Amino acid sequence: MSKTILIVYAHPEPTSLTRRFVTETVQILERQGQTVLQSDLYGMGWKATFDEHDFPNRINNDRLGFIQESQHAYATHQQTQDVAAEQDKLLAADAVIFHFPLWWFGMPAILKGWIDRVYAYGFAYGYKGEGNRYRYGDGILKGKRALLSVMVGGPAEDYSPRGINGPLEELLFPITHGALFFPGMDVLPTHAVYGTGKLSKVSVAKELAAWRLRLENLFNESPIPFRRQNGGEYQQNILADHIAMGKEGLTIHIDH
């Protein structure tokens, strides 16, 4: 059965390795008979800043309250057109693939701005008017898959468990566990390409071959086993004492 996949990508240079992976992704998925949606953030001239211009019809002109205004704009269908269009893409998608380079230990600002603006109150958080009830495994995007394709300039050793830059999976935790798992998506292990500034043609070909294999198994791969908020392991948003005893840090929220 045909699936719909949204590709969100952030790189301003059309000859970059990031954009080459995007082109490969589109070609492979279309050959599979999938429906492909695209959000080329630089090409779209995406507005990265989340500010008063996101709320054309504010309910309080004296002070900008983002949650209050976001809730009102979303509930009354008064969001800006670009934001509403991206929300529609997310709702239509069975999976979302994010292509971006690792810039200063995270995503490019334009992609963070996409999340800031598209993740409206009532949509990605405050779902169904229930505050924090539907999050971390539940929410409006539950049942959809998400995959990060990240181009990393440094060598893999620098991002290993004892590497000087810190483990890549922990650097990306605010994205995988936060921006993606929070509204309900099943998040697949990150696909990283290291040393991107020094890859030979042979190495690039090998990396693309590995990426093709990931795409072939997009709907078969097991997601990262993040612990669900409503799965019975948390008590008042704190992990129960008998789970991951004696441990702390980000990884305790993954059921290894």
Side-chain angles (χ1 to χ4, degrees):
M1 183 179 294
S2 177
K3 302 282 190 179
T4 298
I5 296 95
L6 170 61
I7 304 172
V8 183
Y9 54 102
H11 202 296
E13 173 51 52
T15 65
S16 66
L17 189 59
T18 297
R19 294 291 288 272
R20 186 165 179 181
F21 265 68
V22 170
T23 298
E24 191 76 14
T25 302
V26 173
Q27 292 176 348
I28 292 171
L29 294 177
E30 288 183 342
R31 281 201 298 267
Q32 293 176 357
Q34 316 289 23
T35 299
V36 178
L37 307 175
Q38 297 187 53
S39 292
D40 173 3
L41 300 187
Y42 280 98
M44 295 160 59
W46 181 262
K47 172 181 169 291
T49 53
F50 186 37
D51 55 28
E52 69 276 10
H53 300 295
D54 285 286
F55 312 113
N57 298 292
R58 287 169 56 178
I59 56 177
N60 185 350
N61 291 315
D62 296 325
R63 183 181 185 279
L64 178 58
F66 282 96
I67 292 178
Q68 180 186 43
E69 297 296 348
S70 180
Q71 179 182 27
H72 171 72
Y74 177 71
T76 60
H77 307 286
Q78 296 187 73
Q79 298 178 111
T80 58
Q81 186 176 0
D82 57 348
V83 166
E86 296 303 298
Q87 291 171 349
D88 288 343
K89 290 179 188 177
L90 278 171
L91 294 177
D94 297 295
V96 187
I97 299 173
F98 297 85
H99 286 283
F100 61 93
L102 189 73
W103 285 356
W104 284 106
F105 305 96
M107 67 181 84
I110 197 170
L111 181 53
K112 177 59 164 59
W114 183 86
I115 292 171
D116 288 344
R117 297 182 61 223
V118 174
Y119 277 29
Y121 187 94
F123 181 80
Y125 69 115
Y127 184 52
K128 293 185 177 180
E130 293 284 347
N132 291 330
R133 180 178 179 184
Y134 297 102
R135 60 175 188 169
Y136 295 117
D138 287 306
I140 197 168
L141 303 182
K142 184 177 181 178
K144 302 177 186 296
R145 306 202 126 205
L147 172 59
L148 302 183
S149 168
V150 185
M151 303 295 113
V152 183
E157 293 79 10
D158 290 5
Y159 296 90
S160 62
R162 294 176 62 83
I164 192 168
N165 289 338
L168 185 66
E169 63 270 21
E170 293 192 16
L171 296 178
L172 297 176
F173 194 84
I175 306 173
T176 55
H177 184 262
L180 304 179
F181 186 62
F182 185 106
M185 284 192 271
D186 293 321
V187 187
L188 302 181
T190 295
H191 189 92
V193 179
Y194 295 94
T196 55
K198 299 179 180 180
L199 291 180
S200 65
K201 290 183 178 180
V202 173
S203 296
V204 169
K206 290 181 179 178
E207 294 292 353
L208 286 170
W211 177 242
R212 293 186 197 104
L213 187 60
R214 291 297 303 272
L215 291 178
E216 290 174 5
N217 292 284
L218 181 60
F219 292 98
N220 300 319
E221 224 183 301
S222 297
I224 300 170
F226 289 128
R227 301 184 191 277
R228 297 165 55 87
Q229 173 183 284
N230 300 319
E233 297 179 297
Y234 293 92
Q235 299 172 353
Q236 296 182 335
N237 297 330
I238 303 295
L239 196 62
D241 291 340
H242 67 280
I243 298 174
M245 291 181 61
K247 298 180 180 179
E248 57 184 28
L250 302 179
T251 58
I252 66 172
H253 301 291
I254 301 175
D255 186 8
H256 293 288

